[in-house]
Amino acid sequence: VDNLKSKLIPKPAAPAAPPPKAKAKEKKKTAAPKKPGLPKAGIKLYYWPATGKAETIRLCFAEVGIPWEDVTFEKPSFNVYTNLGEVFKSEPMQKFAAECREKGGNLTTNLPTLEIGGKFYTQSTAVCRLVARKARLYPRQIETAFTVDNVVAHVEDAREPAYKVVTGKMEKDEFLTGIVKHLQNLERLLGDSDYFLAGSFTMADIWVFDLLQNMLVPMVPDILKDYPKLAAHREKVANREGIKAYLDSDQYKVLDKMVELK
C-alpha cells in the first residue's frame, strides 16, 4: 500500500458575518405642540355698550363656551346707534377711549381692545382672527383659510353702507339698492352647503350671522325675504348651543343693536 502523504484539507472559510443591522434611528421624542387655546377666565373686551365691531369676537367666545367680561363706559339713556356722533363726543366715551389708547398703544380709539393675560390686542378683524384660531374656528389649510377670509371680506364690504346710512352719510333708498348685491354674493357663496366652509362651522359663519342678526335685520326686518339660504343659515347659527345661550343672556340683551330705518 502506497503511503499517501495526507494532505491537509483546508477548512472551509467561515461564512462572513452579516453586516450589523443598522440600528433604527430612534425617533426623537418631541413634546406635542401646546394647543393655543383660550384661558377659562380673565378675558376682558373693551368696547362701546353695543354690538358693533366687537360682536364677532363675542360670538367666537360664546360658540366655544369661554366667558369674558365686557368693559365699557356708562351707557347713555338712548340707543347709541340713534346718535353715534353725540355719543362719541361725550365725556364718558372720550375718557374711555383715552384709557383704551393707553392700553392698546395706537393713536386711534383702539376699540375694540381685547385683554388676555395682561396683553392687549387691537384691530377688530385681526383680533377676531386671533380668537378664532385659538378657538379652532379658523382653518389651517391655505385654500380653506382663503374661503373664510373671502367671506369675511364680503361682510366688511356690506358693513360699510350699513354704517353710512346709520350715520346719515347715505340715503335709505341708496342703501337698499346697494345692499342687494352684497346679499346676493353671500347667498351665492353659501349655496346649498350647511356652512360657508362645507361641513365646518368657522369664523366666516359668525361674521355673516352678525351682519344679519345685529345689523341688517334690525335695520330692515324683511330684508331676507328673497334670500332663503341666508335666512336658514341665520336661524341655524342662532340655535347653536353656545351662541343660543349667549343670545338669551343679559350680557347680550343689554347691548345696543342697529335700529330700524325710517
Side-chain angles (χ1 to χ4, degrees):
V1 179
D2 292 335
N3 289 329
L4 299 174
K5 293 181 179 179
S6 35
K7 297 180 180 178
L8 293 175
I9 301 174
K11 292 182 180 180
K21 291 183 179 179
K23 290 184 179 180
K25 290 183 179 178
E26 293 183 3
K27 292 182 179 178
K28 291 182 180 179
K29 293 182 180 179
T30 54
K34 292 182 179 180
K35 294 181 179 179
L38 289 162
K40 299 292 185 182
I43 296 175
K44 294 182 180 181
L45 185 60
Y46 300 78
Y47 195 63
W48 296 51
T51 50
K53 293 185 177 182
E55 195 60 17
T56 54
I57 303 167
R58 296 185 184 111
L59 288 166
C60 285
F61 288 141
E63 167 64 18
V64 295
I66 296 293
W68 73 96
E69 177 187 352
D70 283 311
V71 182
T72 188
F73 55 92
E74 185 179 353
K75 187 177 178 181
S77 58
F78 53 88
N79 185 309
V80 298
Y81 288 111
T82 61
N83 197 332
L84 287 170
E86 181 179 336
V87 176
F88 188 77
K89 294 175 183 177
S90 69
E91 184 178 346
M93 169 59 188
Q94 287 299 310
K95 182 180 178 182
F96 181 69
E99 292 171 354
C100 290
R101 277 195 295 273
E102 185 176 345
K103 295 177 186 298
N106 292 332
L107 298 178
T108 50
T109 60
N110 292 264
L111 296 173
T113 292
L114 177 67
E115 180 182 356
I116 300 179
K119 186 173 181 179
F120 296 92
Y121 303 87
T122 60
Q123 297 296 346
S124 58
T125 304
V127 171
C128 188
R129 193 172 283 113
L130 169 78
V131 172
R133 284 190 172 112
K134 287 178 175 289
R136 298 291 188 262
L137 296 172
Y138 189 86
R140 293 181 179 179
Q141 292 77 15
I142 293 173
E143 287 293 326
T144 48
F146 170 80
T147 299
V148 170
D149 289 342
N150 185 41
V151 173
V152 168
H154 276 284
V155 172
E156 288 181 319
D157 288 346
R159 278 178 172 180
E160 185 178 352
Y163 278 119
K164 280 185 175 180
V165 73
V166 166
T167 54
K169 297 176 182 178
M170 179 182 287
E171 294 298 324
K172 178 181 176 180
D173 289 344
E174 183 183 356
F175 167 76
L176 292 175
T177 300
I179 200 66
V180 168
K181 61 184 178 183
H182 297 294
L183 291 170
Q184 289 175 339
N185 277 336
L186 291 171
E187 181 96 344
R188 172 183 56 82
L189 289 169
L190 179 60
D192 296 323
S193 299
D194 51 353
Y195 297 117
F196 281 88
L197 187 60
S200 297
F201 182 79
T202 68
M203 171 182 164
D205 301 291
I206 284 175
W207 275 64
V208 173
F209 175 74
D210 174 54
L211 174 72
L212 303 178
Q213 177 75 11
N214 298 309
M215 297 185 77
L216 299 188
V217 171
M219 293 166 72
V220 185
D222 66 347
I223 199 167
L224 295 180
K225 67 182 187 300
D226 296 325
Y227 307 97
K229 294 174 182 178
L230 289 178
H233 178 271
R234 176 190 172 216
E235 183 176 356
K236 187 183 199 66
V237 175
N239 282 290
R240 290 182 66 86
E241 183 179 357
I243 290 177
K244 185 178 188 303
Y246 169 58
L247 296 179
D248 291 338
S249 71
D250 290 337
Q251 188 173 15
Y252 174 74
K253 291 177 181 178
V254 74
L255 299 172
D256 284 345
K257 291 87 180 171
M258 292 286 196
V259 294
E260 186 172 354
L261 298 178
K262 303 300 182 185

Short mmCIF file of all heavy atoms in Angstrom, two decimals, residues 206-237:
data_model
loop_
_atom_site.label_atom_id
_atom_site.label_comp_id
_atom_site.label_asym_id
_atom_site.label_seq_id
_atom_site.Cartn_x
_atom_site.Cartn_y
_atom_site.Cartn_z
N ILE A 206 -69.81 83.09 11.61
CA ILE A 206 -70.04 84.06 12.68
C ILE A 206 -70.14 85.47 12.10
O ILE A 206 -71.01 86.25 12.50
CB ILE A 206 -68.92 83.96 13.73
CG1 ILE A 206 -69.15 82.71 14.59
CG2 ILE A 206 -68.84 85.22 14.59
CD1 ILE A 206 -68.08 82.41 15.59
N TRP A 207 -69.29 85.80 11.14
CA TRP A 207 -69.32 87.14 10.55
C TRP A 207 -70.62 87.38 9.78
O TRP A 207 -71.21 88.45 9.87
CB TRP A 207 -68.10 87.35 9.65
CG TRP A 207 -66.92 87.82 10.43
CD1 TRP A 207 -66.26 87.13 11.40
CD2 TRP A 207 -66.27 89.09 10.33
NE1 TRP A 207 -65.23 87.89 11.91
CE2 TRP A 207 -65.22 89.10 11.27
CE3 TRP A 207 -66.47 90.21 9.53
CZ2 TRP A 207 -64.37 90.19 11.45
CZ3 TRP A 207 -65.61 91.30 9.69
CH2 TRP A 207 -64.59 91.28 10.64
N VAL A 208 -71.06 86.40 9.02
CA VAL A 208 -72.31 86.57 8.27
C VAL A 208 -73.48 86.65 9.24
O VAL A 208 -74.38 87.49 9.09
CB VAL A 208 -72.51 85.41 7.27
CG1 VAL A 208 -73.88 85.50 6.61
CG2 VAL A 208 -71.42 85.45 6.20
N PHE A 209 -73.47 85.80 10.26
CA PHE A 209 -74.56 85.82 11.25
C PHE A 209 -74.63 87.19 11.92
O PHE A 209 -75.72 87.75 12.07
CB PHE A 209 -74.32 84.73 12.30
CG PHE A 209 -75.33 84.77 13.42
CD1 PHE A 209 -76.63 84.35 13.23
CD2 PHE A 209 -74.96 85.26 14.67
CE1 PHE A 209 -77.56 84.40 14.26
CE2 PHE A 209 -75.87 85.32 15.70
CZ PHE A 209 -77.18 84.89 15.51
N ASP A 210 -73.51 87.72 12.33
CA ASP A 210 -73.51 89.04 12.99
C ASP A 210 -74.04 90.12 12.06
O ASP A 210 -74.83 90.98 12.49
CB ASP A 210 -72.09 89.38 13.45
CG ASP A 210 -71.99 90.79 14.00
OD1 ASP A 210 -72.76 91.13 14.92
OD2 ASP A 210 -71.14 91.56 13.51
N LEU A 211 -73.63 90.09 10.80
CA LEU A 211 -74.12 91.07 9.83
C LEU A 211 -75.64 91.04 9.74
O LEU A 211 -76.30 92.09 9.74
CB LEU A 211 -73.51 90.77 8.45
CG LEU A 211 -74.03 91.62 7.29
CD1 LEU A 211 -73.52 93.05 7.38
CD2 LEU A 211 -73.63 90.99 5.95
N LEU A 212 -76.19 89.83 9.68
CA LEU A 212 -77.64 89.69 9.54
C LEU A 212 -78.36 89.95 10.86
O LEU A 212 -79.34 90.71 10.90
CB LEU A 212 -77.97 88.28 9.04
CG LEU A 212 -77.32 87.85 7.72
CD1 LEU A 212 -77.70 86.42 7.38
CD2 LEU A 212 -77.67 88.80 6.58
N GLN A 213 -77.90 89.34 11.92
CA GLN A 213 -78.59 89.38 13.22
C GLN A 213 -78.57 90.74 13.87
O GLN A 213 -79.59 91.17 14.42
CB GLN A 213 -77.93 88.36 14.16
CG GLN A 213 -78.48 88.32 15.57
CD GLN A 213 -79.82 87.65 15.67
OE1 GLN A 213 -80.27 87.01 14.72
NE2 GLN A 213 -80.49 87.77 16.81
N ASN A 214 -77.44 91.42 13.81
CA ASN A 214 -77.28 92.64 14.59
C ASN A 214 -77.27 93.92 13.77
O ASN A 214 -77.27 95.01 14.35
CB ASN A 214 -75.99 92.55 15.41
CG ASN A 214 -76.03 91.40 16.41
OD1 ASN A 214 -76.97 91.27 17.17
ND2 ASN A 214 -75.01 90.56 16.37
N MET A 215 -77.24 93.77 12.45
CA MET A 215 -77.21 94.97 11.60
C MET A 215 -78.39 95.00 10.63
O MET A 215 -79.31 95.80 10.77
CB MET A 215 -75.88 95.05 10.84
CG MET A 215 -74.67 95.19 11.75
SD MET A 215 -73.11 95.43 10.85
CE MET A 215 -73.25 97.14 10.37
N LEU A 216 -78.36 94.13 9.63
CA LEU A 216 -79.31 94.27 8.52
C LEU A 216 -80.75 93.97 8.90
O LEU A 216 -81.67 94.71 8.52
CB LEU A 216 -78.86 93.36 7.37
CG LEU A 216 -77.48 93.68 6.78
CD1 LEU A 216 -77.23 92.85 5.53
CD2 LEU A 216 -77.33 95.17 6.48
N VAL A 217 -80.98 92.89 9.64
CA VAL A 217 -82.37 92.56 10.00
C VAL A 217 -82.97 93.60 10.96
O VAL A 217 -84.12 94.01 10.76
CB VAL A 217 -82.46 91.13 10.58
CG1 VAL A 217 -83.85 90.86 11.16
CG2 VAL A 217 -82.14 90.09 9.49
N PRO A 218 -82.24 94.07 11.97
CA PRO A 218 -82.81 95.15 12.77
C PRO A 218 -83.10 96.41 11.95
O PRO A 218 -84.08 97.12 12.22
CB PRO A 218 -81.72 95.42 13.82
CG PRO A 218 -81.01 94.13 13.96
CD PRO A 218 -81.00 93.55 12.56
N MET A 219 -82.26 96.68 10.95
CA MET A 219 -82.46 97.88 10.13
C MET A 219 -83.63 97.72 9.16
O MET A 219 -84.41 98.65 8.96
CB MET A 219 -81.18 98.17 9.34
CG MET A 219 -80.00 98.57 10.23
SD MET A 219 -78.43 98.52 9.33
CE MET A 219 -78.61 99.95 8.26
N VAL A 220 -83.75 96.54 8.56
CA VAL A 220 -84.82 96.26 7.59
C VAL A 220 -85.34 94.85 7.90
O VAL A 220 -84.80 93.86 7.42
CB VAL A 220 -84.28 96.32 6.14
CG1 VAL A 220 -85.44 96.15 5.15
CG2 VAL A 220 -83.51 97.60 5.88
N PRO A 221 -86.37 94.73 8.74
CA PRO A 221 -86.81 93.43 9.25
C PRO A 221 -87.10 92.37 8.20
O PRO A 221 -86.88 91.17 8.44
CB PRO A 221 -88.08 93.78 10.04
CG PRO A 221 -87.83 95.18 10.52
CD PRO A 221 -87.09 95.85 9.40
N ASP A 222 -87.55 92.76 7.02
CA ASP A 222 -87.87 91.75 6.00
C ASP A 222 -86.78 91.63 4.93
O ASP A 222 -87.02 91.14 3.83
CB ASP A 222 -89.22 92.07 5.34
CG ASP A 222 -89.19 93.36 4.52
OD1 ASP A 222 -88.22 94.14 4.67
OD2 ASP A 222 -90.13 93.59 3.73
N ILE A 223 -85.59 92.04 5.25
CA ILE A 223 -84.52 92.12 4.24
C ILE A 223 -84.13 90.75 3.68
O ILE A 223 -83.61 90.66 2.57
CB ILE A 223 -83.28 92.84 4.83
CG1 ILE A 223 -82.38 93.34 3.68
CG2 ILE A 223 -82.52 91.94 5.80
CD1 ILE A 223 -81.32 94.33 4.14
N LEU A 224 -84.41 89.68 4.40
CA LEU A 224 -84.01 88.35 3.94
C LEU A 224 -85.12 87.59 3.22
O LEU A 224 -84.98 86.41 2.92
CB LEU A 224 -83.52 87.52 5.13
CG LEU A 224 -82.25 88.02 5.83
CD1 LEU A 224 -81.88 87.10 6.97
CD2 LEU A 224 -81.09 88.14 4.85
N LYS A 225 -86.22 88.28 2.91
CA LYS A 225 -87.35 87.59 2.30
C LYS A 225 -87.00 86.96 0.95
O LYS A 225 -87.59 85.93 0.56
CB LYS A 225 -88.54 88.54 2.14
CG LYS A 225 -88.36 89.68 1.15
CD LYS A 225 -89.60 90.57 1.12
CE LYS A 225 -89.52 91.61 0.01
NZ LYS A 225 -88.36 92.51 0.16
N ASP A 226 -86.03 87.52 0.24
CA ASP A 226 -85.63 86.98 -1.06
C ASP A 226 -84.35 86.15 -0.97
O ASP A 226 -83.78 85.78 -2.01
CB ASP A 226 -85.42 88.12 -2.06
CG ASP A 226 -86.71 88.88 -2.34
OD1 ASP A 226 -87.78 88.24 -2.36
OD2 ASP A 226 -86.64 90.12 -2.52
N TYR A 227 -83.93 85.85 0.25
CA TYR A 227 -82.67 85.12 0.44
C TYR A 227 -82.89 83.96 1.42
O TYR A 227 -82.45 84.00 2.57
CB TYR A 227 -81.57 86.06 0.93
CG TYR A 227 -81.42 87.27 0.04
CD1 TYR A 227 -82.03 88.48 0.37
CD2 TYR A 227 -80.72 87.19 -1.16
CE1 TYR A 227 -81.93 89.58 -0.47
CE2 TYR A 227 -80.62 88.28 -2.01
CZ TYR A 227 -81.23 89.47 -1.65
OH TYR A 227 -81.14 90.56 -2.49
N PRO A 228 -83.58 82.93 0.96
CA PRO A 228 -83.94 81.82 1.87
C PRO A 228 -82.74 81.08 2.45
O PRO A 228 -82.80 80.61 3.59
CB PRO A 228 -84.78 80.89 0.97
CG PRO A 228 -84.37 81.24 -0.43
CD PRO A 228 -84.07 82.70 -0.42
N LYS A 229 -81.66 81.00 1.71
CA LYS A 229 -80.48 80.28 2.22
C LYS A 229 -79.82 81.05 3.35
O LYS A 229 -79.41 80.46 4.36
CB LYS A 229 -79.49 80.03 1.08
CG LYS A 229 -80.05 79.08 0.01
CD LYS A 229 -79.13 78.95 -1.19
CE LYS A 229 -79.73 78.04 -2.23
NZ LYS A 229 -78.89 77.93 -3.45
N LEU A 230 -79.73 82.36 3.19
CA LEU A 230 -79.17 83.17 4.27
C LEU A 230 -80.09 83.18 5.49
O LEU A 230 -79.62 83.15 6.63
CB LEU A 230 -78.93 84.60 3.80
CG LEU A 230 -77.77 84.81 2.80
CD1 LEU A 230 -77.69 86.28 2.39
CD2 LEU A 230 -76.44 84.36 3.40
N ALA A 231 -81.39 83.21 5.25
CA ALA A 231 -82.34 83.19 6.36
C ALA A 231 -82.21 81.88 7.15
O ALA A 231 -82.22 81.88 8.39
CB ALA A 231 -83.77 83.35 5.84
N ALA A 232 -82.08 80.77 6.42
CA ALA A 232 -81.93 79.47 7.08
C ALA A 232 -80.60 79.38 7.83
O ALA A 232 -80.52 78.82 8.93
CB ALA A 232 -82.04 78.34 6.05
N HIS A 233 -79.57 79.96 7.24
CA HIS A 233 -78.25 79.96 7.88
C HIS A 233 -78.29 80.76 9.18
O HIS A 233 -77.75 80.33 10.21
CB HIS A 233 -77.21 80.55 6.93
CG HIS A 233 -75.83 80.64 7.49
ND1 HIS A 233 -75.39 81.75 8.19
CD2 HIS A 233 -74.78 79.77 7.47
CE1 HIS A 233 -74.13 81.56 8.58
NE2 HIS A 233 -73.74 80.37 8.15
N ARG A 234 -78.94 81.90 9.13
CA ARG A 234 -79.05 82.74 10.34
C ARG A 234 -79.75 81.96 11.46
O ARG A 234 -79.30 81.98 12.62
CB ARG A 234 -79.84 84.00 10.00
CG ARG A 234 -80.10 84.90 11.21
CD ARG A 234 -81.08 85.99 10.87
NE ARG A 234 -81.47 86.74 12.04
CZ ARG A 234 -82.70 87.22 12.25
NH1 ARG A 234 -83.66 87.04 11.33
NH2 ARG A 234 -82.98 87.88 13.35
N GLU A 235 -80.82 81.28 11.12
CA GLU A 235 -81.55 80.51 12.14
C GLU A 235 -80.70 79.36 12.68
O GLU A 235 -80.69 79.09 13.88
CB GLU A 235 -82.84 79.96 11.53
CG GLU A 235 -83.71 79.22 12.53
CD GLU A 235 -85.03 78.75 11.94
OE1 GLU A 235 -85.31 79.08 10.77
OE2 GLU A 235 -85.77 78.05 12.65
N LYS A 236 -79.97 78.71 11.79
CA LYS A 236 -79.11 77.58 12.18
C LYS A 236 -78.04 78.03 13.18
O LYS A 236 -77.81 77.38 14.20
CB LYS A 236 -78.46 76.99 10.93
CG LYS A 236 -77.68 75.70 11.13
CD LYS A 236 -77.04 75.30 9.82
CE LYS A 236 -76.64 73.85 9.77
NZ LYS A 236 -77.76 72.93 9.79
N VAL A 237 -77.38 79.14 12.87
CA VAL A 237 -76.33 79.64 13.74
C VAL A 237 -76.91 80.10 15.08
O VAL A 237 -76.34 79.85 16.14
CB VAL A 237 -75.55 80.78 13.07
CG1 VAL A 237 -74.53 81.38 14.02
CG2 VAL A 237 -74.85 80.26 11.81
#
